Amino acid sequence: MRTPRSLLLTLAVALATVASLATPALAFPAATRAGLISFLNGISGRYTLSGQHNREPNSDPTKYTRVAQSITGQTPGLWGGDFLFASSDVASRQTMINEAIRQWQGGSVVTLTWHMCPPTTGSTCGWDSAGVLSHLSDSQWSQLVTSGTSLNNAFKSRLAEAVPYLRHSRTPGCRCCGGPSTR
């Protein structure tokens, strides 16, 4: 019977072999939303688009992309940024958006995530049970999705914080993919 260490070594050798056979990723030329969708549909089932989520700090929005580059020698085809929640990262959202635009113009597919503080707290919070990791009660969820309630209004106000950044990212033609964070 093989030990876990030998299985990991075998897996690493197999992955290295497969990686050496793969053709290098080509940069995706900045295009329209339809062009991006067409590109993704065209590679579906045939190729994998690797990516890197760049979490905090927003003041250094390529930190984890650089780590991936140093390990693999390749630039990920997908660059991910995050609106985040800590006060220093909220203050650096424009830096993150500027990098998203630069990444798009350089040929990356761009994704944006928002690890958002719950609408029961302020715009900034921590990665803890009182902040991003907190839970809403069933009653609070009901209020959140009921138009005009205090939680619904707080949530809409929180979403409005991202609008200027998203508008700015669209001016140079950047098409960002996004979705809610599920932690």
Side-chain angles (χ1 to χ4, degrees), residues 18-81:
V18 169
S20 70
L21 298 174
T23 56
L26 299 175
F28 174 77
T32 64
R33 177 179 12 183
L36 173 58
I37 291 169
S38 176
F39 170 76
L40 294 173
N41 285 333
I43 67 169
S44 179
R46 299 181 317 149
Y47 299 101
T48 299
L49 182 63
S50 68
Q52 182 59 49
H53 175 70
N54 290 274
R55 58 189 190 120
E56 66 276 352
N58 264 348
S59 60
D60 185 7
T62 61
K63 180 178 181 177
Y64 295 98
T65 295
R66 292 192 314 271
V67 170
Q69 288 169 328
S70 71
I71 292 170
T72 66
Q74 298 285 323
T75 301
L78 184 143
W79 178 90

Side-chain angles (χ1 to χ4, degrees), residues 160-182:
E161 293 174 18
V163 170
Y165 302 105
L166 295 172
R167 283 189 178 138
H168 178 79
S169 73
R170 292 189 57 91
T171 55
C174 181
R175 298 295 178 254
C176 301
C177 305
S181 168
T182 57

Side-chain angles (χ1 to χ4, degrees), residues 58-160:
N58 264 348
S59 60
D60 185 7
T62 61
K63 180 178 181 177
Y64 295 98
T65 295
R66 292 192 314 271
V67 170
Q69 288 169 328
S70 71
I71 292 170
T72 66
Q74 298 285 323
T75 301
L78 184 143
W79 178 90
D82 196 328
F83 283 95
L84 293 170
F85 50 88
S87 59
S88 60
D89 294 313
V90 169
S92 296
R93 285 178 175 165
Q94 188 60 56
T95 301
M96 182 271 298
I97 288 295
N98 292 344
E99 184 60 30
I101 294 166
R102 194 183 78 71
Q103 290 288 328
W104 172 262
Q105 291 172 338
S108 293
V109 174
V110 173
T111 65
L112 296 177
T113 303
W114 191 357
H115 287 91
M116 182 189 291
C117 299
T120 55
T121 67
S123 294
T124 62
C125 62
W127 186 267
D128 54 32
S129 61
V132 174
L133 302 179
S134 67
H135 298 278
L136 297 179
S137 68
D138 289 345
S139 173
Q140 288 172 317
W141 276 109
S142 181
Q143 291 176 44
L144 183 76
V145 298
T146 303
S147 188
T149 65
S150 60
L151 276 181
N152 178 265
N153 291 335
F155 182 60
K156 289 176 182 174
S157 293
R158 186 69 46 79
L159 292 174

